[in-house]
Amino acid sequence: MKFMNVKKKFVSVLVAGALAIATAVPVFAADAGTSTGLSSVETALTTSFTSIGASMTSIVGKILPIALPVMGILVLVGFGIKAFKKVTNKA
């Protein structure tokens, strides 16, 4: 029964992927030398994704110095609790 659910999900993902590829065929078939008006869209998307990437990098750079010590403390507390339970034989 579980295999049938996985099979149904796989078929739906496969159909969605085939549909996406089929709708993208005219874009792939366009000649690179002709101007179709998509170059401005391409430029706008490239610019926006580049700025988003730079923004995400700066956000990670600001969060990382705060998050790493907090996560380290949580890991140390977890190991400390496990060690205490092991020493006191209450595991």
Side-chain angles (χ1 to χ4, degrees):
M1 188 74 169
K2 188 175 183 180
F3 177 72
M4 293 300 291
N5 290 337
V6 172
K7 189 175 177 181
K8 287 180 184 178
K9 289 179 183 177
F10 178 72
V11 169
S12 64
V13 169
L14 188 64
V15 169
L19 181 63
I21 290 173
T23 56
V25 168
V27 174
F28 294 138
D31 188 17
T34 61
S35 176
T36 59
L38 291 177
S39 62
S40 62
V41 173
E42 180 182 350
T43 305
L45 286 174
T46 303
T47 305
S48 64
F49 282 128
T50 303
S51 67
I52 289 171
S55 176
M56 294 292 282
T57 303
S58 69
I59 289 172
V60 168
K62 291 176 184 176
I63 292 175
L64 206 57
I66 298 168
L68 281 178
V70 170
M71 292 303 294
I73 289 170
L74 291 175
V75 168
L76 285 175
V77 168
F79 282 135
I81 291 172
K82 285 181 184 178
F84 181 75
K85 285 183 178 180
K86 194 172 190 179
V87 169
T88 58
N89 291 326
K90 295 187 178 190

